Amino acid sequence: MCFKNLPIEFDETGKASLKEGVRDPYAVAVAEPKGYVRRNEGPGAQLAAPPRLRDWNIDPMTRVAGALAVHTVLDLENRKAVEAHARAMLFRGYEIILQGRDPRDAIDISSRACGVCGGVHATVSSLCIEQAFGVCPPPLGVEVRNLGEVGEMFYDRPLHLGLLAGPDYSTALVSVTNPELVTRAEKTLAPHGDVHGYRTIKDIMDALNPLTGQIYLEALEWTRVGRIMAMLMLGKYPHPSTLLPGGVMTTISTSSFNEYYTQLGKIFDFAKVICRIWDDICDFFLEANPAYEQVGAREMNIAQVGIWDDSTAYDATYANINHWGKRRWSKPSMIIDGKLVTNNLTDINMGFEEFIEHSFYEDWTRAGGPRYRTDPLGNPISPHHPWNKTTIPKPQATDFRGKYTWDTAPRWDRRTVETGAYGQLWGTALTGDSQENPFFHATGHSLQMVVPRHGLPETELEWKVPRTLNALERNRARAYSMAFTSTIGMNCMLKALEYWRRGETKVHTPFKIPQDERVAVGFWEAGRGWLAHHMVMDKGRIVNYQITTPSTLNAAPRDPFGGLGPYEQAIVDTPILESVPDDQVKGIDVLRAIRSFDPCMPCTTHMDTGKGVIVREVNSCGCTLE
Amino acid sequence: MESFKRPQQAIGLIDGYDPLDPFAPIGVRSRATVEPPDSLALGPLKKIYLIWMVGASCDGCTVAVSGGTHPRVEHLLAGIIPGLPRVELVHTVVSTESGAEWTHNLFMAERGELDAPYVITWEGSIMDESISGDGYWMGLGEDPATGRQITSLEWLDRLSPGAAAVIAIGTCATWGGIPASKGNVTNAMGMMDYLGKDYRSSFGVPVVNIPGCAPIGDNYLETAAAVCLFLNGLAPLPEFDELGRPAWLFGETVHRHCPRAGYYEEGVFAEEYGDKECLVELGCWGPVVQCNIAERGQVDGHGGCMQMGGICIGCTMPGFPDKFSPIGAIAPGSLISSTTSRAVGGFIRRMRGISRVDKNMTPRWDKDIPTGWSRAKTGPRGSMKTVHKFYSKYQHTHEGHN
């Protein structure tokens, strides 16, 4: 029984239904926003009362992909952040542009929703459309998709760890905010210096320096290795050119496998090194000051939908979605308060809702009843579910008590959930093994991996579920996901070669476009986790197309019940650990908290992207004055 | 709003910060990078600011350029390529500074306070902020004096007159792209639509257009490098076509250099996805689309569309995406052209086949081919032998005529 807030119950056969006697099962009672909100008592006055509160508007928030702004209030008396608003700053209208089109266009158009996660949208759109069309790809087609998407993750991880998050732990920045840590780092030998070659922690921190550090500069080159692997299978990156419903267009040859395999070898070594670099950095900060455990910490609610299909189980149907979903290498998993509550994609789909009380959209539920009350299997769904959603944009002035972002507020069972690369490890580790393989083993509380030899010897790595979900652990797990993904790449490679050996060389199944009404959903994961495309089609045309991305979840604003979004929760109560006077506080810990999510805004608001951070209550100040 | 003192100022976050201080309040400024010694003077332009701005973008152009290798972006930033200026990049994805410290770069550019010329590269469509009411389609930074939200479009208005060049990158910025296609809610458009045909940069250049969705990173980097070499007096001004595209990159159809074009010539077409032959009958638009991915690849010569099996969907063209929809359907004109190619090319292919059999023979294989790989064939026999005899004779009568 995974639902605590939505009135959904299951009978003995596992069939879901709404509890009887609940008059309005999906009622939304809008609560007053909680937390610190400034009062309208005249210009500047609201901040005079608590004299050491600092109102800080970060617009644009940099070293994230896309347009994000964050408003936060720092309490310098108690040295912590006390308020946060995450703002997506861009709207483009992709969901509206997709309406009325031939469904075949959706793959290439929705791909352009995000060029950072440059292949996942095309992939998830293929999954969604093939479900609607009733066409299942041949097994080699599934493996080619897997291999391409393994390559994409090899581009994604070094980009974030090296170029976006890494500089926050570099000598250049830490010497400004915490000079004592640099002194300490100089004297601290790196525990894994034999693996990565940096003698002291200070050497690692030097290598993380933006534009000049070795780790920073090499990260760009590593992204190129990942891109080349993605392109060998998907043609082009970003925006693949070989994906379509029913498989891929890719012309596979002996060369494809040879070239892919030789790149994968390099990745094995990189994975061994990057895990140890981040182990050393994270452990150094946590030992120097245990309070770093609270930077970016929030409740342990993680939503993952799974990625990398088992080509022997995947059949593209919604009817069997729980079966093939659980066979994915990285598991669909809903973790609430640190406990795994379900691996069923139908449960994950059923409990999912999007709210717009604090977003620049109009409420679609007021325009009559929902289009669908259940999914195709009879499971109840909310009027706020994407299949029932209509995107109605309404740009307007920013008001932190009202509407302040182009992002919506997705919730599961009305709880705030986050998602990420780290969630793939988290969910898979808690789920435990489902497929025997020589390269990794999920124990229920950890992931044990054997990364094959290349230039560096075969290496056993173990990632253990941490006790807190915080900024450092997000980054550490993202580094370990390089190793996890490399073992999955090896598994998929062996499977693909097996099909190749058996002469099962087809990569695509032909399809016909159905003319009746169909609903479908594609679930896949981006570099940052959760990705869903929900589609309704009729008469061979798209009626509704809804995209929810990882940063739709993570950058979400408050919900109507007063709950904060994941970035907002992670910022509030983040301690300010800088060892400098108040007037020199840079807010680095808040920035670390946000960047640890690896924000990727282009596709967040269907897409609205925001850049930067904003801190003003435009309405409360402006209205009073006028 | 005059009496409204911004909270930051009241508390002193922004106050008293020196914009030239390499350690701005939030993090390190990008320009804290040490200036490399440059003893060889190869032209007057030593440094250039690249202000990378976005409209309705997906960041795919940024990603594409960061994958480029000719030259690598990190080499431009380090200023280690002789003859090319060092590039100071002001870009939200890579800049170390955030918020007001980041937008400060833009204010300095507008006031002419930067110590080198700046180029604007714009990614994403231009969205019409006159229809976004009190809100915005794309907000980027705020006015430090009033706290007013600034849109990214306002930055374009403020910075385009003083820019050394405005380079539109990607199909959204050049022609409008997907945000400007059917269903366009933001009245999105391309850079030329917005700035107009009379726009000239401070160096007298109209808008430069580098299309593609996503573009090939090297197409952008190569064009930028070529322009910089010109400005340093080391190379000619690169040639641009009537739409402002680099002519040497976009002057040919992608079909002409496609590795599968030879199949088209011989009238052989892929029947299903995954086949190795010409993709025109599976929906490829290559024969009419101007693009160079077939010879350049996507990253460092790797990948590409038709090379890997993908049909051309016309993503570099002003008509993308609507005029190429539905993607995967066969281009109407291809019925005529591929039928013709089947007839003519089919004949040529058979003729070539005859010749190929002969060229696969050494002189001593006339009676028996010593291969263990297939049932041994002896060379051409009967009438074919006669054909080859005449062919060979004809070949030799033409010796010396080149």
Side-chain angles (χ1 to χ4, degrees):
Chain A
M1 181 53 226
C2 56
F3 296 104
K4 296 274 184 294
N5 300 312
L6 290 175
I8 299 173
E9 58 187 4
F10 295 86
D11 66 16
E12 57 283 356
T13 64
K15 186 168 166 29
S17 59
L18 288 170
K19 284 179 188 160
E20 279 180 38
V22 181
R23 204 173 56 84
D24 186 0
Y26 293 103
V28 174
V30 180
E32 181 72 4
K34 284 179 209 151
Y36 167 81
V37 177
R38 288 188 282 134
R39 301 280 170 251
N40 289 336
E41 289 164 2
Q46 60 273 41
L47 289 177
R52 297 179 70 198
L53 284 185
R54 174 184 293 176
D55 196 87
W56 180 27
N57 211 11
I58 319 167
D59 177 10
M61 169 84 195
T62 58
R63 269 187 290 127
V64 303
L68 172 70
V70 175
H71 163 226
T72 175
V73 176
L74 305 182
D75 176 350
L76 296 173
E77 184 88 46
N78 299 302
R79 290 255 160 178
K80 62 176 187 175
V82 290
E83 174 63 309
H85 294 97
R87 299 177 60 202
M89 301 296 287
L90 166 65
F91 176 80
R92 297 168 301 179
Y94 270 58
E95 290 168 339
I96 298 168
I97 286 167
L98 281 160
Q99 281 172 19
R101 286 184 187 263
D102 188 303
R104 287 173 291 178
D105 287 0
I107 294 171
D108 282 299
I109 288 186
S110 69
S111 179
R112 271 75 182 174
C114 185
V116 179
C117 331
V120 292
H121 282 281
T123 307
V124 75
S125 185
S126 307
L127 265 63
C128 175
I129 293 161
E130 67 197 18
Q131 188 181 97
F133 287 7
V135 55
C136 177
L140 186 60
V142 174
E143 295 299 349
V144 168
R145 271 199 310 227
N146 284 344
L147 289 169
E149 288 293 270
V150 162
E152 170 161 3
M153 300 311 151
F154 293 153
Y155 137 90
D156 178 89
R157 312 303 191 233
L159 182 76
H160 181 257
L161 291 168
L163 272 68
L164 308 183
D168 285 338
Y169 303 90
S170 68
T171 308
L173 270 77
V174 177
S175 63
V176 178
T177 59
N178 299 78
E180 79 288 358
L181 286 181
V182 179
T183 314
R184 184 187 168 107
E186 265 173 341
K187 295 181 199 138
T188 311
L189 289 177
H192 297 100
D194 57 324
V195 178
H196 51 60
Y198 298 104
R199 199 177 64 85
T200 65
I201 299 295
K202 167 79 162 37
D203 292 338
I204 301 180
M205 289 166 64
D206 286 345
L208 290 169
N209 275 344
L211 298 175
T212 55
Q214 193 185 350
I215 295 174
Y216 184 96
L217 290 171
E218 285 181 357
L220 262 178
E221 196 62 23
W222 281 111
T223 71
R224 295 185 182 113
V225 175
R227 293 175 219 238
I228 288 169
M229 295 175 77
M231 290 187 309
L232 283 166
M233 298 295 152
L234 306 180
K236 194 156 137 311
Y237 192 89
H239 306 322
S241 52
T242 65
L243 286 164
L244 80 168
V248 295
M249 302 180 191
T250 319
T251 306
I252 291 295
S253 71
T254 302
S255 309
S256 322
F257 293 125
N258 174 49
E259 291 174 25
Y260 189 92
Y261 199 35
T262 49
Q263 306 285 359
L264 184 58
K266 300 182 205 168
I267 295 286
F268 289 146
D269 283 355
F270 178 64
K272 294 162 199 163
V273 168
I274 191 106
C275 290
R276 292 318 192 186
I277 285 174
W278 280 90
D279 266 340
D280 288 355
I281 282 287
C282 293
D283 292 341
F284 170 77
F285 274 82
L286 289 168
E287 277 162 28
N289 186 351
Y292 278 109
E293 192 172 349
Q294 294 311 313
V295 171
R298 65 174 291 277
E299 56 192 7
M300 213 181 277
N301 295 347
I302 304 174
Q304 304 292 140
V305 290
I307 172 172
W308 301 303
D309 278 310
D310 176 350
S311 49
T312 62
Y314 178 70
D315 68 358
T317 65
Y318 191 76
N320 296 327
I321 196 168
N322 290 337
H323 170 66
W324 55 256
K326 286 181 213 171
R327 296 286 300 176
R328 287 181 161 179
W329 290 109
S330 175
K331 305 298 175 199
S333 34
M334 187 59 71
I335 299 165
I336 298 292
D337 297 325
K339 301 266 183 326
L340 179 72
V341 298
T342 183
N343 292 116
N344 287 332
L345 280 168
T346 50
D347 293 342
I348 293 170
N349 192 32
M350 210 185 321
F352 190 70
E353 296 173 285
E354 264 186 278
F355 299 100
I356 46 79
E357 275 68 14
H358 296 283
S359 316
F360 301 141
Y361 300 95
E362 298 207 41
D363 186 357
W364 67 88
T365 61
R366 293 192 188 145
R371 202 185 285 127
Y372 301 103
R373 292 185 187 280
T374 68
D375 72 3
L377 301 177
N379 296 307
I381 59 168
S382 161
H384 303 278
H385 190 276
W387 275 327
N388 287 321
K389 185 186 164 193
T390 308
T391 306
I392 315 169
K394 197 183 177 210
Q396 54 198 282
T398 300
D399 173 6
F400 288 136
R401 291 165 164 278
K403 293 176 182 278
Y404 60 88
T405 177
W406 275 114
D407 192 9
T408 61
R411 295 293 188 266
W412 188 82
D413 192 27
R414 310 220 153 166
R415 295 290 299 272
T416 302
V417 289
E418 71 172 276
T419 185
Y422 40 92
Q424 295 176 352
L425 278 72
W426 225 291
T428 308
L430 292 183
T431 304
D433 273 336
S434 69
Q435 279 137 297
E436 282 297 311
N437 76 89
F439 305 106
F440 77 86
H441 165 52
T443 64
H445 53 81
S446 73
L447 265 183
Q448 295 170 343
M449 295 162 271
V450 182
V451 185
R453 68 163 297 133
H454 189 60
L456 294 172
E458 178 179 288
T459 304
E460 288 183 27
L461 293 166
E462 182 170 22
W463 177 85
K464 295 176 183 142
V465 176
R467 63 179 180 187
T468 316
L469 174 53
N470 58 34
L472 284 168
E473 295 301 346
R474 286 187 191 98
N475 288 333
R476 187 205 303 262
R478 188 172 286 111
Y480 271 82
S481 82
M482 265 316 274
F484 180 46
T485 310
S486 75
T487 63
I488 291 167
M490 194 64 205
N491 277 315
C492 295
M493 184 76 205
L494 292 176
K495 288 211 168 198
L497 286 172
E498 174 66 14
Y499 294 123
W500 192 248
R501 193 173 67 77
R502 296 204 303 237
E504 295 179 35
T505 56
K506 293 264 182 225
V507 292
H508 181 251
T509 309
F511 57 81
K512 280 209 169 71
I513 301 172
Q515 299 300 309
D516 55 337
E517 184 177 331
R518 304 272 174 113
V519 296
V521 58
F523 284 121
W524 192 254
E525 289 191 13
R528 295 141 195 83
W530 173 294
L531 183 59
H533 284 199
H534 285 83
M535 181 179 73
V536 178
M537 63 173 286
D538 195 11
K539 301 185 179 64
R541 295 272 149 181
I542 294 169
V543 175
N544 189 20
Y545 203 97
Q546 294 291 329
I547 301 169
T548 43
T549 70
S551 300
T552 314
L553 270 65
N554 291 343
R558 283 152 172 73
D559 58 41
F561 323 107
L564 275 61
Y567 292 174
E568 298 174 340
Q569 285 184 340
I571 294 168
V572 171
D573 286 343
T574 278
I576 298 164
L577 300 174
E578 296 174 43
S579 56
V580 292
D582 286 0
D583 62 345
Q584 290 169 32
V585 164
K586 318 237 178 284
I588 182 90
D589 294 305
V590 169
L591 298 173
R592 284 174 178 149
I594 303 165
R595 289 195 182 113
S596 69
F597 287 89
D598 191 5
C600 178
M601 306 307 290
C603 52
T604 295
T605 45
H606 328 332
M607 299 304 259
D608 5 348
T609 307
K611 277 198 185 229
V613 177
I614 269 252
V615 172
R616 225 163 337 105
E617 274 195 84
V618 175
N619 277 8
S620 60
C621 296
C623 293
T624 337
L625 291 172
E626 286 157 22
Chain B
M1 294 293 281
E2 269 177 20
S3 61
F4 172 54
K5 195 172 182 197
R6 296 194 64 233
Q8 282 109 318
Q9 292 166 331
I11 291 169
L13 175 71
I14 305 294
D15 273 1
Y17 108 81
D18 175 1
L20 299 177
D21 175 2
F23 298 107
I26 298 128
V28 183
R29 301 183 71 79
S30 294
R31 71 180 67 122
T33 319
V34 183
E35 196 87 32
D38 193 359
S39 48
L40 268 179
L42 291 172
L45 196 60
K46 294 278 184 297
K47 176 158 115 176
I48 195 159
Y49 286 88
L50 173 56
I51 300 181
W52 189 292
M53 302 287 290
V54 296
S57 100
C58 72
D59 282 7
C61 301
T62 295
V63 168
V65 168
S66 71
T69 53
H70 297 97
R72 280 170 161 74
V73 70
E74 59 268 34
H75 293 173
L76 289 176
L77 298 179
I80 59 171
I81 302 175
L84 291 184
R86 185 166 70 84
V87 174
E88 284 272 9
L89 182 58
V90 180
H91 190 314
T92 54
V93 174
V94 291
S95 290
T96 43
E97 62 269 40
S98 259
E101 289 67 41
W102 188 83
T103 50
H104 191 79
N105 294 300
L106 309 188
F107 285 114
M108 286 178 74
E110 185 188 12
R111 293 194 296 258
E113 292 169 6
L114 296 177
D115 56 356
Y118 67 91
V119 169
I120 297 174
T121 294
W122 187 278
E123 167 179 0
S125 329
I126 311 286
M127 293 180 290
D128 185 353
E129 295 287 359
S130 73
I131 57 168
S132 59
D134 295 336
Y136 51 82
W137 300 120
M138 168 75 191
L140 183 71
E142 57 180 359
D143 187 325
T146 62
R148 181 179 62 83
Q149 177 74 53
I150 297 176
T151 63
S152 74
L153 187 60
E154 181 178 331
W155 287 115
L156 180 63
D157 292 338
R158 294 166 78 146
L159 295 176
S160 56
V166 173
I167 305 176
I169 183 169
T171 299
C172 296
T174 51
W175 323 129
I178 287 172
S181 66
K182 192 165 148 275
N184 178 359
V185 271
T186 59
N187 192 23
M189 63 191 94
M191 181 62 76
M192 296 194 306
D193 296 308
Y194 183 72
L195 289 181
K197 60 167 69 170
D198 295 330
Y199 172 79
R200 297 290 180 276
S201 73
S202 65
F203 281 34
V205 188
V207 176
V208 172
N209 286 316
I210 306 194
C213 188
I216 301 167
D218 283 351
N219 282 352
Y220 170 85
L221 291 159
E222 179 168 288
T223 307
V227 171
C228 288
L229 283 177
F230 163 73
L231 292 176
N232 269 340
L234 302 171
L237 178 66
E239 191 188 343
F240 292 91
D241 74 6
E242 70 285 356
L243 290 180
R245 290 176 285 210
W248 74 100
L249 300 174
F250 292 95
E252 304 271 357
T253 65
V254 75
H255 179 70
R256 289 179 191 151
H257 293 175
C258 177
R260 296 171 189 242
Y263 285 108
Y264 185 100
E265 189 203 1
E266 295 188 354
V268 192
F269 297 92
E271 285 170 9
E272 58 182 358
Y273 293 113
D275 286 352
K276 63 181 190 295
E277 296 87 1
C278 176
L279 297 163
V280 159
E281 295 200 337
L282 294 176
C284 181
W285 285 87
V288 297
V289 167
Q290 287 167 257
C291 175
N292 65 336
I293 199 164
E295 66 262 39
R296 175 152 256 173
Q298 176 78 6
V299 171
D300 203 15
H302 295 269
C305 303
M306 293 71 65
Q307 293 100 307
M308 311 311 292
I311 56 172
C312 172
I313 61 170
C315 76
T316 56
M317 299 293 276
F320 180 78
D322 291 346
K323 291 186 180 172
F324 298 92
S325 169
I327 290 163
I330 300 168
S334 75
L335 187 67
I336 300 169
S337 57
S338 59
T339 306
T340 311
S341 158
R342 271 212 168 81
V344 179
F347 174 71
I348 292 171
R349 173 165 45 91
R350 285 180 187 88
M351 298 294 286
R352 287 171 177 169
I354 294 168
S355 191
R356 185 156 52 96
V357 170
D358 177 54
K359 305 300 177 215
N360 256 329
M361 305 280 289
T362 70
R364 63 189 302 157
W365 291 357
D366 200 29
K367 294 211 166 56
D368 181 39
I369 302 177
T371 174
W373 288 100
S374 66
R375 201 173 294 172
K377 288 180 196 157
T378 55
R381 269 177 288 191
S383 57
M384 266 313 144
K385 210 163 180 176
T386 318
V387 171
H388 281 296
K389 217 172 204 167
F390 277 108
Y391 188 92
S392 176
K393 199 167 182 186
Y394 182 69
Q395 186 181 353
H396 289 291
T397 59
H398 279 248
E399 273 174 7
H401 297 272
N402 271 327

